[in-house]
Amino acid sequence: QEFNTHIRRSFTAPHVCDLTKFNTSCQPVTRLALKKKKNISSTMVPVRILVLSLFHMSLAGSQPTQRSQQASSPPHPAGEQSSLGTGNLSFPWSRLRLPRYIIPLHYHLFLHPNLTSLSFTGSVKIQIDVQNNTNWVVLHSKGLQISKATIVDQNHAHLSDQVLPVLHNPSHEQIGIFSPRVLSSGQKYFLYIEFGAELADGFYGFYRSHYRTSAGETRILASTHFEPTSARMAFPCFDEPSFKAKFSVRIRRSPEFISLSNMPVVKTVDVSDGLLEDQFDASVKMSTYLVAFVICDFKSVTATTSSGVQVSIYAAPEKWLQTSYALEVAVKMLDFYEEYFNIRYPLPKQDLIAIPDFQSGAMENWGLTTYRETSLLFDPLTSSISDKLWVTMVIGHELAHQWFGNLVTMEWWNDIWLNEGFARYMEYISVEATYPDLKVEEYLLHTCFSAVGHDSLNSSRPISSPAENPTQIKQMFDSVSYDKGACVLHMLRHFLTDDVFQRGIVRYLRKYSYRNAHNQDLWDSLAVTCSEEDFISGKHCYSRSQAFKNAYLFAGEHLDLTAMMNTWTLQKGLPLVTVTRKGPRLLLRQDRFLRTVLPSDTLWSTLQQGFLWHIPLTYQTDASNTIHRHLMTTHTDSIHIGEEVSWVKVNTDMTGYYVVHYEDGGWDEMAKLLRKNHTALSYKDRTHLIHNVFQLVTAGYLPINQGLDLIGYLQLETHNVPLLEGLGYLEAFYRMIEKRNEFDLRSSLGMYILRFFRTVIDQQTWSDRGSVSERRLRSEVLSLACHLDDPPCLKKAHQSFKDWLQSNGTLNLPTDVAETVFAVGARDDHGWASLLHTYNISLSAAQKSKILFALTCSRDTNKLHRLLELGLEGKVIRSQDLSTLILMVARNPRGHHLAWDFVKKNWDTLVQKFQLGSFCIRNIIIGTTGQFSSPEDLTEVQLFFESIKEQASQLRATQVALDNVQKNVRWFERNLENLRNWLGKQMK
């Protein structure tokens, strides 16, 4: 908050000088020169240098923190010209963020993409509101050839009879346009710019994509992805989230294509050369990153929501039949959100389109959400139950954004969690309400476990963190914003109650509709209670006197919600609550939970300093079914629970975002309870105990045998979620060990897993029958059993693969086991080649992802190397799948170092493909190093990061990777012999 305020205060309009009047800021020669020369020419350059230098000195003088950049000195990226008709002039603005004295109101955008030449031309007329006298308009542009710039007043009268000079600052992705006449404070003007560029080769801006028909024909399309800072690659704009404006779009195209944008087409007109021009309705007020347009030859299916919103799903023509499930989900979701938020969806239509080349999972552009094919298309013949759940959740996420993110947008990217954390959490709320059979609540635990894994490293960051340049901003789209954000909201919802939480977020959405918000605005909205009458009268009713009305008078005291939530959003990490029983009291202590540093380490006290959370504790005992609550706001605390209580479980159902350590024999009590009467605890509590005990093993609080003893009860477990949690940890240990020269230990652990889960493995059918939970268990258990070379599993998989091959691919394998069958089939040369051929021609993205995984399971390093080269080439295996491919090869013990060597060798190419701060680069760095566990590995990773020091220093992911390797090294040092001894006893 302070940081943003400081930035806003520093924005001042440049010193102004009206060249059409004699004034004390200018020399008389300037006015004389203008009288003599109507056209800008070389004889004008000295005058212009004098005038622009005056402006620049005034502006730069007010910005001492950063040296201004010469417009002509930085190297210009491909496709971006140097300063236009300005000589060797300094750029008039030195900050990364734009000045605040000009506000865009309405963009009139025209685009003509040419899908043959793979380029586009366009123009934009931006209505601007000037709030300080100035001669300058500074806005964003990246990689665009600016051919013309003019400014006219509200009556469309030109302020100059000359084309205006345009200065470029490529390092800040900004242009400055100079008006010889003052733009007066309080007046509105139109800025008109003509531009052109190549369609981008990548995944950002206005970029080209393609798909291939079953007949082998390649079809081209053009699509956009602007979040967070790439709208400037498609048209000059004020590309910051707080500059909300309306957009009127026109797109020129050939008749064989259609064009889509945020709003519906209101008119299509014939223009010259047999082209058509689609004119779209004016949008609502929104940020530039939400603008979208697609030019393609796709087909669609359409339905209407109960409130009359037209919903359409678009896909390549031959994939049209895979769109029906997404249509059903989207209609249900929009109906649900309109009711839950009590706010109508503000646009007349919502299009969802599957783009063949797409880096992320999906993007929430208002009215035109874009998706990877795997995130939108569902083929009943090849898509598994996990695929179905994924599609449902992604659509739920993107449609939640139509309110959280689009209607109300964070003020700046430091609070992107207000978009992404909410959308991630609303996935669970919406899917649970609309598709209860999918049991989505079982997955929320894993979202929080994922967040804990990241947040328990010292390289984590606060939910709300500073981010200024595009690389820093891209890195904000991480597990902290999404997963931790969702889990903190989940904790808050359970703390406040569902009703108070829902009314608070509705109040937040209503108050800040078509505006921008900060963290504090959300806390203020949740910290008051309004009635429906308050809403109708337009009041927001924030009043301290209303505190007594709040539904969360907690422990007899009014809750300071801001103080509580600041401890979760403004400091990194999460708490470890240590619980000790002392007679009738429960003694509590909170510390920062770290998996990389032990209390005995010298760094411990330094890394703990200053950390304190306001923790909404919940707990249950055997004495009653009541969920007890306690707000812990100090480092140590105690609770009276009574002498008669024999056990206590803290963090009921893991609604709180913290890890619990039961000290002084407490874990032995928990293990005993699970063995004797595990159903005394909910399945979520049992899963939570398994997660916490192994987190504490990694952090060095417990020996590994204590965790392994605790999960011994799993042979009695009938719920699949705790079963999968325990199995998941054993698999993780196995996969770490198989990448080291520990053959005996690997063999012993593999045999133990197969023996321990023998009954569960034998119960699995090779079918798609059963509940969602049963089907998920089947996929995981059979996949691991075959990986461990379980003979019955291998025999069944080999036979199924043989049958599939003999049918020439016409046999539809059960979708839940297809990946396992393919992985076993890929072990021999013929099977691998057959799968690669099927991958190349398949029209199902779900099937292709299963086959790609199977191909990476080969034990032939030459085949793994070939896959990586195909991914780098981007033809057979699309570039969008390259980062996933690298991670899958790294997961294979034969491909472990192969993948890492590939990344080192091709680092520059990978950065060029995906951009430095992108989640793909982050996943590649963390994923390829994530299972390194020797001091030699750590040294090698450090040396590589040192060799790319300039880039590595900009990436948080490099420190995360080092933390992970250090954690793994220490895990082996502490646990290897204990594990070996424990297995020795079990296998006797």
Side-chain angles (χ1 to χ4, degrees):
Q1 196 78 13
E2 283 181 359
F3 178 78
N4 284 342
T5 304
H6 169 73
I7 291 293
R8 283 197 296 273
R9 282 177 186 157
S10 69
F11 283 140
T12 53
H15 173 73
V16 294
C17 170
D18 191 334
L19 299 190
T20 60
K21 299 172 186 167
F22 183 88
N23 93 20
T24 54
S25 306
C26 305
Q27 299 300 318
V29 67
T30 306
R31 185 167 170 251
L32 292 172
L34 274 180
K35 281 187 174 181
K36 289 177 182 175
K37 294 282 181 182
K38 289 187 177 179
N39 298 316
I40 294 179
S41 67
S42 57
T43 57
M44 268 291 292
V45 168
V47 173
R48 190 179 301 115
I49 290 173
L50 168 67
V51 175
L52 297 185
S53 296
L54 278 171
F55 295 143
H56 179 74
M57 283 189 293
S58 170
L59 184 59
S62 68
Q63 330 259 340
T65 57
Q66 191 174 349
R67 287 187 60 192
S68 60
Q69 311 221 6
Q70 291 293 320
S72 60
S73 59
H76 298 284
E80 185 160 352
Q81 78 274 39
S82 59
S83 305
L84 195 73
T86 56
N88 191 20
L89 301 174
S90 295
F91 193 80
W93 186 252
S94 62
R95 291 197 177 274
L96 274 166
R97 295 203 210 174
L98 296 177
R100 313 298 299 178
Y101 58 84
I102 290 184
I103 307 297
L105 302 176
H106 198 140
Y107 292 77
H108 299 268
L109 176 62
F110 166 75
L111 290 161
H112 180 193
N114 186 323
L115 300 190
T116 303
S117 65
L118 302 178
S119 61
F120 67 96
T121 56
S123 65
V124 64
K125 183 174 75 171
I126 311 171
Q127 185 184 30
I128 55 174
D129 181 9
V130 176
Q131 301 189 346
N132 285 83
N133 289 351
T134 183
N135 294 81
W136 284 100
V137 181
V138 179
L139 68 164
H140 288 111
S141 175
K142 180 182 179 183
L144 299 173
Q145 294 276 353
I146 308 293
S147 55
K148 181 180 181 183
T150 58
I151 299 176
V152 298
D153 62 21
Q154 284 288 80
N155 300 316
H156 289 83
H158 283 263
L159 301 196
S160 169
D161 55 0
Q162 301 147 354
V163 173
L164 301 181
V166 180
L167 278 72
H168 292 252
N169 184 355
S171 65
H172 287 185
E173 301 174 358
Q174 294 170 357
I175 55 173
I177 297 171
F178 175 72
S179 169
R181 266 178 52 191
V182 164
L183 307 179
S184 302
S185 178
Q187 298 298 308
K188 295 180 177 64
Y189 299 88
F190 289 101
L191 169 65
Y192 177 79
I193 304 172
E194 293 179 2
F195 56 90
E198 302 294 311
L199 288 169
D201 179 17
F203 305 98
Y204 291 98
F206 194 15
Y207 70 94
R208 59 184 183 264
S209 177
H210 74 280
Y211 70 94
R212 199 169 57 190
T213 67
S214 56
E217 182 188 354
T218 298
R219 302 274 179 88
I220 304 295
L221 61 143
S223 183
T224 57
H225 187 100
F226 292 160
E227 190 179 33
T229 59
S230 294
R232 63 193 70 172
M233 294 174 67
F235 59 100
C237 56
F238 297 79
D239 200 12
E240 294 175 9
S242 63
F243 285 116
K244 290 194 170 188
K246 294 184 176 182
F247 295 82
S248 295
V249 177
R250 294 181 296 133
I251 295 177
R252 194 164 290 182
R253 59 177 173 86
S254 297
E256 66 267 27
F257 297 107
I258 60 169
S259 71
L260 302 169
S261 189
N262 305 82
M263 298 299 288
V265 173
V266 290
K267 185 165 61 169
T268 299
V269 296
D270 289 312
V271 290
S272 58
D273 299 325
L275 298 175
L276 301 174
E277 185 176 292
D278 293 324
Q279 300 174 3
F280 295 87
D281 207 351
S283 76
V284 295
K285 196 175 175 187
M286 63 184 187
S287 304
T288 47
Y289 78 87
L290 295 170
V291 177
F293 27 89
V294 181
I295 297 87
C296 61
D297 64 350
F298 286 5
K299 280 186 161 186
S300 66
V301 292
T302 301
T304 305
T305 68
S306 56
S307 63
V309 178
Q310 183 174 294
V311 179
S312 300
I313 315 292
Y314 287 84
E318 290 180 296
K319 299 178 182 180
W320 178 72
L321 293 174
Q322 300 175 40
T323 57
S324 57
Y325 179 67
L327 183 64
E328 174 199 307
V329 173
V331 170
K332 271 192 181 184
M333 289 289 183
L334 278 177
D335 281 340
F336 168 76
Y337 283 134
E338 284 194 327
E339 183 179 346
Y340 187 87
F341 296 136
N342 197 20
I343 298 171
R344 290 283 296 269
Y345 175 74
L347 307 186
K349 63 93 174 176
Q350 173 67 56
D351 297 333
L352 300 84
I353 183 167
I355 305 296
D357 296 286
F358 201 83
Q359 188 180 51
S360 57
M363 175 60 206
E364 67 264 25
N365 318 298
W366 216 345
L368 175 56
T369 51
T370 47
Y371 300 77
R372 263 193 189 226
E373 291 185 335
T374 49
S375 300
L376 189 67
L377 304 182
F378 179 79
D379 177 8
L381 298 178
T382 58
S383 299
S384 67
I385 193 66
S386 296
D387 297 327
K388 188 174 196 176
L389 179 65
W390 174 251
V391 167
T392 314
M393 293 182 75
V394 173
I395 293 173
H397 182 103
E398 302 311 324
L399 295 187
H401 270 312
Q402 308 302 298
W403 285 266
F404 274 104
N406 300 8
L407 185 65
V408 180
T409 312
M410 73 279 140
E411 178 76 19
W412 183 250
W413 300 105
N414 62 307
D415 279 334
I416 186 60
W417 86 277
L418 290 173
N419 286 18
E420 299 302 347
F422 258 111
R424 174 57 54 88
Y425 189 44
M426 290 309 299
E427 293 173 25
Y428 295 97
I429 294 176
S430 63
V431 177
E432 191 173 355
T434 53
Y435 290 91
D437 58 307
L438 290 179
K439 301 288 183 189
V440 72
E441 69 275 8
E442 295 180 359
Y443 289 79
L444 180 58
L445 285 173
H446 296 285
T447 294
C448 298
F449 294 162
S450 170
V452 169
H454 184 98
D455 217 16
S456 54
L457 302 176
N458 193 43
S459 49
S460 187
R461 64 171 181 84
I463 283 179
S464 185
S465 302
E468 288 300 304
N469 65 45
T471 297
Q472 293 167 349
I473 291 166
K474 285 188 184 77
Q475 292 180 84
M476 295 295 286
F477 293 80
D478 63 0
S479 178
V480 173
S481 290
Y482 285 76
D483 298 336
K484 182 178 179 179
C487 296
V488 166
L489 290 170
H490 181 61
M491 177 171 66
L492 185 59
R493 181 187 179 207
H494 279 265
F495 185 53
L496 300 179
T497 73
D498 290 0
D499 183 54
V500 170
F501 180 80
Q502 184 177 355
R503 281 188 284 125
I505 62 174
V506 169
R507 184 176 312 114
Y508 168 79
L509 289 171
R510 284 177 178 267
K511 182 172 182 179
Y512 296 100
S513 289
Y514 306 106
R515 294 165 60 195
N516 298 79
H518 299 272
N519 265 351
Q520 187 61 49
D521 301 321
L522 177 61
W523 311 145
D524 288 348
S525 297
L526 287 164
V528 292
T529 307
C530 291
S531 66
E532 187 62 29
E533 290 72 31
D534 291 325
F535 288 145
I536 292 167
S537 66
K539 296 174 184 172
H540 304 300
C541 70
Y542 182 64
S543 165
R544 293 293 178 192
S545 65
Q546 286 198 316
F548 72 92
K549 288 173 60 180
N550 292 355
Y552 38 87
L553 297 178
F554 203 83
E557 296 179 5
H558 175 56
L559 168 70
D560 186 342
L561 191 65
T562 297
M564 172 184 162
M565 295 313 297
N566 281 349
T567 70
W568 296 98
T569 60
L570 301 184
Q571 65 181 350
K572 67 180 178 179
L574 77 158
L576 169 68
V577 176
T578 300
V579 178
T580 310
R581 182 76 181 273
K582 192 169 185 179
R585 301 199 69 79
L586 202 62
L587 305 185
L588 307 169
R589 185 181 79 248
Q590 63 161 293
D591 298 291
R592 181 183 172 200
F593 180 56
L594 285 165
R595 290 187 300 157
T596 46
V597 182
L598 292 172
S600 56
D601 293 341
T602 52
L603 265 178
W604 172 262
S605 57
T606 305
L607 294 175
Q608 291 290 333
Q609 205 165 353
F611 284 89
L612 178 71
W613 287 266
H614 292 190
I615 309 172
L617 291 174
T618 54
Y619 62 96
Q620 272 184 296
T621 71
D622 61 320
S624 75
N625 292 324
T626 305
I627 298 175
H628 303 276
R629 300 174 183 274
H630 176 78
L631 185 61
M632 184 181 182
T633 58
T634 52
H635 282 289
T636 58
D637 205 345
S638 69
I639 305 168
H640 185 274
I641 58 172
E643 293 278 7
E644 72 283 0
V645 168
S646 63
W647 59 261
V648 57
K649 163 67 175 66
V650 180
N651 199 356
T652 306
D653 288 343
M654 202 189 163
T655 52
Y657 183 69
Y658 54 95
V659 173
V660 182
H661 177 31
Y662 300 92
E663 213 168 41
D664 294 346
W667 279 107
D668 293 331
E669 287 298 318
M670 284 295 156
K672 183 178 168 185
L673 173 63
L674 290 173
R675 284 194 304 271
K676 285 191 170 182
N677 183 20
H678 68 277
T679 55
L681 300 173
S682 70
Y683 84 84
K684 291 181 181 177
D685 275 334
R686 303 195 299 269
T687 308
H688 179 235
L689 285 174
I690 295 168
H691 170 265
N692 278 197
V693 77
F694 283 116
Q695 291 298 303
L696 291 164
V697 167
T698 302
Y701 288 88
L702 297 171
I704 192 168
N705 51 291
Q706 191 134 23
L708 294 168
D709 287 342
L710 182 124
I711 63 170
Y713 95 94
L714 285 175
Q715 290 187 319
L716 308 170
E717 183 61 77
T718 56
H719 199 288
N720 294 332
V721 174
L723 202 57
L724 281 168
E725 186 68 12
L727 182 65
Y729 274 104
L730 290 174
E731 180 179 0
F733 300 154
Y734 181 85
R735 288 190 177 275
M736 289 273 285
I737 289 162
E738 73 175 346
K739 294 178 176 66
R740 293 171 63 112
N741 295 322
E742 295 285 350
F743 303 112
D744 292 343
L745 182 59
R746 183 186 72 179
S747 176
S748 297
L749 181 56
M751 286 167 57
Y752 172 76
I753 293 169
L754 289 173
R755 192 177 78 180
F756 187 79
F757 289 99
R758 185 77 263 161
T759 303
V760 177
I761 295 167
D762 290 344
Q763 285 172 347
Q764 304 310 312
T765 61
W766 293 67
S767 69
D768 285 338
R769 290 193 297 273
S771 68
V772 172
S773 188
E774 288 166 346
R775 294 177 65 182
R776 180 173 161 235
L777 180 72
R778 176 186 301 132
S779 292
E780 297 290 338
V781 165
L782 292 178
S783 174
L784 180 57
C786 281
H787 181 70
L788 297 176
D789 291 335
D790 180 45
C793 187
L794 290 178
K795 182 180 178 183
K796 180 63 178 175
H798 275 304
Q799 186 58 51
S800 297
F801 187 71
K802 184 180 175 184
D803 294 343
W804 179 78
L805 276 182
Q806 287 177 345
S807 75
N808 204 21
T810 58
L811 173 71
N812 291 308
L813 293 167
T815 59
D816 298 333
V817 297
E819 189 171 87
T820 297
V821 171
F822 291 151
V824 172
R827 291 188 183 187
D828 68 57
D829 292 349
H830 177 62
W832 196 88
S834 300
L835 284 166
L836 184 59
H837 172 71
T838 304
Y839 178 88
N840 204 16
I841 62 172
S842 175
L843 291 174
S844 165
Q847 184 184 52
K848 285 170 80 85
S849 69
K850 293 174 180 61
I851 292 175
L852 188 60
F853 171 81
L855 291 169
T856 65
C857 292
S858 171
R859 298 175 181 186
D860 181 343
T861 54
N862 291 326
K863 289 184 173 63
L864 298 178
H865 184 75
R866 184 182 171 200
L867 287 175
L868 292 170
E869 291 301 325
L870 287 173
L872 195 65
E873 182 189 45
K875 292 178 181 176
V876 175
I877 299 173
R878 290 179 182 272
S879 294
Q880 67 170 11
D881 299 316
L882 177 56
S883 63
T884 306
L885 171 68
I886 293 169
L887 300 198
M888 290 191 295
V889 171
R891 194 168 180 254
N892 184 331
R894 303 286 177 88
H896 188 210
H897 285 96
L898 185 72
W900 174 239
D901 291 340
F902 175 84
V903 169
K904 290 189 294 181
K905 178 184 175 186
N906 297 287
W907 173 253
D908 291 337
T909 305
L910 293 171
V911 170
Q912 188 179 351
K913 275 182 181 288
F914 297 120
Q915 298 196 3
L916 189 60
S918 68
F919 78 91
C920 280
I921 291 295
R922 180 167 65 246
N923 288 349
I924 287 169
I925 290 172
I926 297 171
T928 51
T929 58
Q931 294 204 316
F932 285 161
S933 58
S934 71
E936 294 76 22
D937 289 335
L938 179 59
T939 301
E940 187 179 326
V941 173
Q942 287 170 327
L943 286 172
F944 176 65
F945 290 162
E946 186 66 29
S947 73
I948 55 163
K949 191 172 184 178
E950 187 181 343
Q951 292 169 317
S953 64
Q954 300 177 58
L955 296 175
R956 194 178 291 110
T958 53
Q959 192 54 53
V960 173
L962 290 171
D963 276 0
N964 266 326
V965 180
Q966 288 166 341
K967 166 183 65 68
N968 295 343
V969 169
R970 299 191 76 159
W971 188 95
F972 271 94
E973 288 171 352
R974 283 196 297 262
N975 296 302
L976 198 63
E977 289 312 307
N978 278 345
L979 178 59
R980 201 188 310 276
N981 294 336
W982 186 88
L983 283 170
K985 292 175 186 174
Q986 303 302 312
M987 301 305 286
K988 283 179 181 175

